[in-house]
Amino acid sequence: MTASDNAASERVALRDLLGAVGAGLGTPLRPEWERAAWVVRRSAFVPERIYLGEELVPCDRGREPENWLRAVYGDHSVVTQINDGEDPGDREPGNGDPGGGERWASSSASAPGIVFRMLEMAEVTEGCRVLEIGTGTGWNAGLLAAVAGPGNVTSVEVDPALAAEAGARLRREGLRVAVVAGDGAAGYADHAPYDRLIATCSVRSVPHPWLEQVRPGGIVLTPWESPWICYGLLRLTVDDAGGAAGRFSPHSAFMLMRQQRTDLRIFRDVVRDTHRPDGSTTALPPWRVTEDDLAARFAVGLLLRDVWWTWHDNPEVDGVASRLWLATTDATSWAAVDWDGTSDDHFAVWQYGPRRLWDEAEAAYAWWVRHDRPGPERFGLTVTATGQIPWLDHADRPVPVTGTGAAGAVTGTVTGAG
């Protein structure tokens, strides 16, 4: 395929992508963002090697140009880094190498649909001073610079290698963005104050330096995650007292900020042979709080701020087909709910620790049902110097949060040995 053919294929792919993005938004992109999409080519920012599918199979541009281009201009995220840059290659687990062969996504180029949704929600205009948290490939920063103007965008990336690569791509494309390798949770005070702060990684707690570095009336837009579910966008308006308030919307699924990660496993970190749980039963099917209904899961996650879950199929326990595990992020309390494979109204419950986590999950679900099953758009968050308070419909209706609201993430939450 000639260079001319490649350019023509890319133009067709981008035109199709913009059509798909507009359909997803329910309205065509604003003209300034469509112009930016043509000027700031996504293909110039995605690395030569990407990873496809659930197995994260490598795809190299030189070997599979059509598959690579299809992935780059599809309206979905593209994994650009695995294992924080430590590619396990073809190693197999075992033989003294417990991490061998295991692959997990650590950086990605976000789906264009959510990228442009966020850019429009942030109301970025020419002359806006913007702080981006999470440079990644640099494409989002390039789009911002194309609209806000040269020298108005600062982007912070925790991974020095990614920061260097993104900075080089931006310079090559003639886009003036200040790329800083550093802790995104700390923002970047040297270029403050900003009119907008846009995060391309999710958070469980809004870092206070972000609010300190955005001027009063400015906007902070960040993907949201709880240990229960990665879902939701939070758009805050900063006030003149150093706080902020705003609402969620039902979009996004972004990788969690590295500084808020932890690594917990049920049998390695939580459950012990010496634990003696209390037994009871429940009529609430455990899958009601973990599957399908994203609105239910978002609400439960907002109320249970420090609780995570994982399913264990075929746990090799007599009479148990599947078991739902719940645990706190500090690993001090856990619960298990057993399904025998047939019943839909009777489930065994086991709970251990100072908290009764299944009781809390049941109460959170019942609260959500009583309040007419609200979606994320009915919830909001107020951030002050002393806390972060979620609410329903308006700020004087706080939701009944349980737990500590710990900001640590949970990765690798699998059952089994370990």
Side-chain angles (χ1 to χ4, degrees), residues 224-251:
W224 183 259
E225 180 173 308
S226 69
W228 201 266
I229 184 175
C230 178
Y231 185 57
L233 284 173
L234 176 63
R235 184 182 187 274
L236 299 169
T237 300
V238 177
D239 61 35
D240 56 8
R247 290 184 174 274
F248 293 96
S249 64
H251 308 286

Side-chain angles (χ1 to χ4, degrees), residues 189-258:
D190 288 5
H191 292 174
Y194 304 98
D195 301 297
R196 304 287 187 268
L197 184 150
I198 301 175
T200 64
C201 53
S202 61
V203 299
R204 295 180 176 172
S205 180
V206 179
H208 279 282
W210 292 6
L211 306 187
E212 294 167 354
Q213 294 170 25
V214 174
R215 65 167 178 79
I219 293 170
V220 172
L221 181 64
T222 181
W224 183 259
E225 180 173 308
S226 69
W228 201 266
I229 184 175
C230 178
Y231 185 57
L233 284 173
L234 176 63
R235 184 182 187 274
L236 299 169
T237 300
V238 177
D239 61 35
D240 56 8
R247 290 184 174 274
F248 293 96
S249 64
H251 308 286
S252 94
F254 283 73
M255 293 179 185
L256 190 66
M257 178 177 284
R258 290 191 189 184

Side-chain angles (χ1 to χ4, degrees), residues 8-33:
S9 296
E10 185 168 348
R11 286 194 297 272
V12 171
L14 177 55
R15 186 166 57 247
D16 290 345
L17 173 61
L18 293 175
V21 168
L25 293 173
T27 181
L29 276 175
R30 294 210 316 259
E32 61 267 35
W33 293 119

Side-chain angles (χ1 to χ4, degrees), residues 301-323:
L302 202 60
L303 272 63
L304 306 184
R305 292 294 299 279
D306 60 349
V307 181
W308 57 279
W309 60 270
T310 187
W311 278 98
H312 189 180
D313 292 325
N314 302 313
E316 299 183 359
V317 177
D318 288 344
V320 180
S322 290
R323 171 172 285 173

Side-chain angles (χ1 to χ4, degrees), residues 48-64:
E48 298 288 306
R49 168 170 284 193
I50 58 179
Y51 301 86
L52 304 179
E54 292 184 1
E55 300 300 320
L56 298 175
V57 177
C59 174
D60 292 305
R61 186 177 192 176
R63 295 178 181 176
E64 304 176 74

Side-chain angles (χ1 to χ4, degrees), residues 113-408:
I114 192 62
V115 166
F116 286 110
R117 183 182 294 277
M118 291 181 66
L119 292 173
E120 296 210 341
M121 286 177 65
E123 299 178 8
V124 175
T125 57
E126 185 177 0
C128 273
R129 294 181 56 78
V130 184
L131 175 62
E132 179 191 45
I133 305 299
T135 314
T137 66
W139 183 57
N140 195 72
L143 294 170
L144 284 166
V147 171
N152 283 326
V153 178
T154 300
S155 186
V156 181
E157 170 57 51
V158 68
D159 187 314
L162 292 181
E165 291 167 3
R169 294 183 191 111
L170 288 160
R171 289 191 295 274
R172 186 175 63 231
E173 295 299 307
L175 296 160
R176 284 181 51 201
V177 175
V179 179
V180 179
D183 179 0
Y188 192 66
D190 288 5
H191 292 174
Y194 304 98
D195 301 297
R196 304 287 187 268
L197 184 150
I198 301 175
T200 64
C201 53
S202 61
V203 299
R204 295 180 176 172
S205 180
V206 179
H208 279 282
W210 292 6
L211 306 187
E212 294 167 354
Q213 294 170 25
V214 174
R215 65 167 178 79
I219 293 170
V220 172
L221 181 64
T222 181
W224 183 259
E225 180 173 308
S226 69
W228 201 266
I229 184 175
C230 178
Y231 185 57
L233 284 173
L234 176 63
R235 184 182 187 274
L236 299 169
T237 300
V238 177
D239 61 35
D240 56 8
R247 290 184 174 274
F248 293 96
S249 64
H251 308 286
S252 94
F254 283 73
M255 293 179 185
L256 190 66
M257 178 177 284
R258 290 191 189 184
Q259 298 87 335
Q260 295 189 7
R261 292 181 189 168
T262 60
D263 181 11
L264 292 173
R265 295 175 185 264
I266 285 291
F267 296 145
R268 186 191 68 191
D269 305 307
V270 182
V271 176
R272 299 286 180 263
D273 291 340
T274 56
H275 291 175
R276 296 294 178 263
D278 296 326
S280 60
T281 61
T282 182
L284 178 66
W287 49 83
R288 290 278 177 83
V289 296
T290 64
E291 298 178 2
D292 297 334
D293 196 326
L294 294 177
R297 289 172 58 189
F298 178 84
V300 171
L302 202 60
L303 272 63
L304 306 184
R305 292 294 299 279
D306 60 349
V307 181
W308 57 279
W309 60 270
T310 187
W311 278 98
H312 189 180
D313 292 325
N314 302 313
E316 299 183 359
V317 177
D318 288 344
V320 180
S322 290
R323 171 172 285 173
L324 173 66
W325 290 97
L326 288 71
T328 53
T329 53
D330 64 6
T332 60
S333 297
W334 59 264
V337 186
D338 292 342
W339 179 53
D340 63 11
T342 60
S343 174
D344 60 3
D345 61 1
H346 185 84
F347 308 88
V349 178
W350 308 96
Q351 302 187 88
Y352 175 84
R355 291 168 58 186
R356 292 296 180 258
L357 297 188
W358 181 249
D359 294 350
E360 292 184 14
E362 273 194 314
Y365 183 81
W367 180 92
W368 176 73
V369 171
R370 284 197 311 273
H371 289 80
D372 300 323
R373 304 172 184 263
E377 65 281 356
R378 286 185 57 192
F379 290 95
L381 189 76
T382 297
V383 184
T384 68
T386 58
Q388 305 196 17
I389 305 165
W391 38 266
L392 178 68
D393 294 329
H394 39 82
D396 60 357
R397 293 184 65 190
V399 303
V401 174
T402 65
T404 62

